[in-house]
Amino acid sequence: MGLFDDDFYSTKVSRRRSRKIDASSERGGHKWPRRSRRNLATWQVAIICSVVSAVTAVLLFSLVTGQLTHEKAESPAVIGKVAASSGDPYDRIIQAAALVRPAVVSIINHKKDNKELNILDESALGSGVIYKKDDGKAFIITNNHVIDGAGKLEVVTVDGETRKATLVGADKVSDIAVLSIDGGGINTIAQIGDSSKLRLGETVIAIGNPLGLGDTLTSGIVSYTERTIPVSLNQDGVYDWEQEVIQTDAAINEGNSGGALVDLDGKVIGINTMKISDTGVEGLGFAIPANHVMETADELAAKGKISRSYLGVYSVDLNNPYVPLAEDQRKELNLPTSVKDGVVVLDAVGPAKDAGLQFNDVITKFDDQSITSTLALRKYLYDHTKIGDDLRITFYRNGAVKQVTVKLLEKPEE
């Protein structure tokens, strides 16, 4: 079936139809007068025969080669007012990959020896993206979990050269880390794109070091531009943070973490960070948007860490379906029946302790914002406050509602 629903259109009229027309011209009540017959000279007959023969030959040739199909059927297919490309649709992928490939490196994390238990951790593999050069050094973006627990870090460039890498700074919350290497011979720097302009269905390519197979390219589309997924920062199975990511069906495997997600202009629009791997699950990969990455990377390169507000409470959710409180624990809180959500303080240190917060206090509000979980508590602190702010906390103690103001300090390094 063709691209159009219209029947094939041809200018050819069948002979049967022609005969009907000729016959009908003689069936009415009036007949057209016949003209008198004239004899033609031999040379005139010859010329007429030649012309008729030439026209017949052209018509037969046109019919055989299909040139008499209507001009409209030969025009390019148009879908949604966008003409179908007449060139190779994969040329842009090839060109984009050629632009960014030299800036994507493999990272080898030689983990620390556990001498007390006499255990030697195996090396971990990941990927990274060279994003700038400064003062003789080249700087590389990767994931925090790629370099976590590192004893020694090495980078392998696209041409196979191994270089020693130094950790500049890392942040567990954003899962971003920055490394530096000697900038000599590094001639390609990745161009960073604007991830806020991504469109659903846009073609993207992932470049990295999956399973140790460095310099690997996969392609797919943007499945979702701004997906929010829960994560467990300390890998204890309890979600305590939300990561904003780009969802893609480009193949992302172990070792791709820290590599580049690239658009067809050859610009990095995301840093590959994770995939969902489970029975029956396919094509669910995620990348941290480039705009978020660069904010974190610039601060890490400048200060070696990310400065965030610090309250100083260790807590558990009042209403957590995964780790529910026991009935006797709820009775100890002595909460009004109207209080369904909040954060139960298990321990208070630093600013929280100085402000008077205690064990079993139930926090329900920061300023005028409801706090329903530890995740909401952390999100409010990190996204809506800064170091030195005064934070008004509403909480319940032994059934009575109270308020206290806390001056937030800088979060200490873990």
Side-chain angles (χ1 to χ4, degrees):
M1 182 177 290
L3 292 177
F4 302 96
D5 293 332
D6 308 288
D7 292 332
F8 178 76
Y9 180 84
S10 174
T11 56
K12 180 180 178 181
V13 179
S14 67
R15 293 180 179 177
R16 182 177 300 175
R17 175 65 177 164
S18 298
R19 290 195 190 102
K20 289 181 180 179
I21 295 174
D22 293 341
S24 65
S25 65
E26 298 192 14
R27 283 196 187 115
H30 175 75
K31 292 184 178 181
W32 294 97
R34 296 175 181 268
R35 295 195 175 192
S36 60
R37 186 175 179 181
R38 289 177 55 186
N39 295 327
L40 299 176
T42 302
W43 65 271
Q44 290 176 317
V45 173
I47 291 175
I48 292 173
C49 289
S50 299
V51 172
V52 170
S53 298
V55 171
T56 302
V58 171
L59 290 174
L60 288 174
F61 179 80
S62 299
L63 286 172
V64 171
T65 58
Q67 296 299 314
L68 283 183
T69 56
H70 192 268
E71 181 181 4
K72 188 175 182 179
E74 296 179 351
S75 60
V78 176
I79 302 175
K81 298 184 179 180
V82 178
S85 173
S86 60
D88 184 351
Y90 297 102
D91 276 348
R92 290 189 67 189
I93 293 180
I94 296 170
Q95 294 167 8
L99 281 174
V100 76
R101 273 185 59 242
V104 179
V105 299
S106 300
I107 296 175
I108 305 174
N109 176 357
H110 300 281
K111 295 195 172 184
K112 295 178 181 178
D113 296 346
N114 192 332
K115 296 181 180 179
E116 293 181 1
L117 299 178
N118 196 25
I119 295 175
L120 177 63
D121 290 337
E122 295 182 357
S123 298
L125 300 175
S127 308
V129 180
I130 303 173
Y131 76 103
K132 74 172 183 176
K133 285 182 67 175
D134 186 29
D135 195 25
K137 296 181 180 180
F139 292 85
I140 299 167
I141 296 172
T142 186
N143 287 140
N144 174 75
H145 73 262
V146 169
I147 56 85
D148 189 36
K152 183 175 71 170
L153 292 167
E154 290 181 326
V155 164
V156 183
T157 59
V158 71
D159 56 7
E161 183 183 357
T162 301
R163 303 189 182 203
K164 180 182 178 181
T166 302
L167 178 61
V168 176
D171 180 52
K172 179 184 289 188
V173 174
S174 63
D175 196 26
I176 294 296
V178 174
L179 311 179
S180 68
I181 59 174
D182 178 23
I186 302 296
N187 300 315
T188 303
I189 305 300
Q191 299 180 53
I192 308 299
D194 185 353
S195 57
S196 68
K197 295 182 179 179
L198 276 178
R199 297 167 298 169
L200 199 67
E202 186 172 340
T203 299
V204 289
I205 56 179
I207 306 178
N209 180 32
L211 306 178
L213 303 173
D215 196 24
T216 294
L217 168 71
T218 58
S219 67
I221 62 170
V222 173
S223 306
Y224 203 85
T225 56
E226 297 177 348
R227 179 75 69 193
T228 300
I229 58 173
V231 295
S232 175
L233 295 177
N234 55 6
Q235 301 297 310
D236 63 355
V238 178
Y239 296 133
D240 46 15
W241 187 245
E242 288 181 336
Q243 184 77 273
E244 294 182 16
V245 291
I246 301 164
Q247 182 182 328
T248 178
D249 67 350
I252 294 176
N253 294 288
E254 186 177 351
N256 267 118
S257 292
L261 190 69
V262 184
D263 65 15
L264 291 185
D265 292 325
K267 295 183 178 181
V268 177
I269 46 83
I271 296 297
N272 300 321
T273 185
M274 70 184 84
K275 64 176 288 186
I276 294 179
S277 179
D278 202 352
T279 304
V281 177
E282 187 175 342
L284 286 177
F286 303 98
I288 306 171
N291 292 7
H292 297 178
V293 170
M294 293 313 300
E295 290 178 7
T296 304
D298 288 343
E299 188 171 348
L300 288 175
K303 302 193 302 184
K305 63 178 182 178
I306 302 298
S307 297
R308 292 189 175 92
S309 300
Y310 177 62
L311 176 59
V313 293
Y314 296 90
S315 62
V316 64
D317 294 352
L318 178 64
N319 186 21
N320 190 326
Y322 304 105
V323 188
L325 291 179
E327 192 62 33
D328 58 338
Q329 291 175 314
R330 283 185 171 273
K331 287 182 179 179
E332 287 182 13
L333 300 176
N334 195 26
L335 289 172
T337 55
S338 59
V339 179
K340 303 295 184 183
D341 297 299
V343 174
V344 182
V345 176
L346 299 180
D347 192 15
V349 297
K353 183 179 180 180
D354 293 341
L357 287 174
Q358 301 175 6
F359 172 71
N360 269 359
D361 286 346
V362 180
I363 298 173
T364 57
K365 284 186 179 181
F366 280 172
D367 296 326
D368 294 321
Q369 177 69 42
S370 294
I371 300 299
T372 59
S373 64
T374 299
L375 191 154
L377 180 150
R378 185 176 282 114
K379 289 280 286 184
Y380 189 89
L381 282 176
Y382 293 175
D383 294 344
H384 300 287
T385 69
K386 59 182 182 294
I387 299 166
D389 281 355
D390 289 327
L391 178 66
R392 187 175 72 256
I393 300 176
T394 302
F395 64 99
Y396 283 84
R397 178 179 296 168
N398 196 25
V401 63
K402 297 179 179 293
Q403 283 192 341
V404 67
T405 299
V406 178
K407 182 172 286 295
L408 301 174
L409 301 181
E410 181 177 353
K411 190 176 189 296
E413 295 185 23
E414 297 181 0

